[in-house]
Structures are given as structure tokens and as C-alpha cells.
Amino acid sequence: MLIDHPESFGARDRLTCTECGGDTILIRRSPHPEFGSSFETQVFRCLQCDRELTRSADVAGKPHS
Ligand SMILES: [Zn+2]
């Protein structure tokens, strides 16, 4: 599935690494397996320690747990 609006789903968010507090970048996005196309699962990778963080967000970029 292509994502038409790359700036939606909070794609510009930078999360803070839970391990070291460093900056993370979004490396992977996919439609949410349970909540459908209105939600994404997103994987962020820490630039400092390479830890990967996963979150779910809706089209407005609001996190959904
Ligand atoms: Zn880190």
C-alpha cells in the first residue's frame, strides 16, 4: 500500500529514545494490522544507540496504543 500523504500520520515526529534519550528517525511505516488504513504502525530508530521504537498513530499523527 502506498501512502499518499507522507506528512500525515505524524511522519515528521521525532521521538526520544527510551534507552538513551537520543533523537530517533522514522525508518518504517505500514498500515496497522488491526485498525486498518486509518492507522499506521511506525518504527523509529535511535541515531545514537540503534534501538528501534514502534508506535501506532492515526492520520493526524496522534499516537494510539
Ligand atoms: Zn538511543
Side-chain angles (χ1 to χ4, degrees):
M1 168 181 165
L2 286 175
I3 295 168
D4 298 333
H5 306 290
E7 296 187 10
S8 62
F9 294 98
R12 288 183 155 189
D13 288 358
R14 295 286 186 94
L15 301 188
T16 300
C17 178
T18 56
E19 189 70 24
C20 74
D23 290 330
T24 64
I25 55 170
L26 182 60
I27 59 167
R28 202 155 59 239
R29 309 168 66 182
S30 56
H32 197 285
E34 290 179 40
F35 305 124
S37 59
S38 295
F39 290 88
E40 283 188 351
T41 54
Q42 302 172 336
V43 180
F44 293 77
R45 179 182 290 150
C46 178
L47 296 172
Q48 294 190 53
C49 71
D50 286 338
R51 183 184 178 89
E52 291 189 357
L53 310 175
T54 303
R55 75 167 186 177
S56 300
D58 68 10
V59 291
K62 183 179 179 184
H64 185 287
S65 55

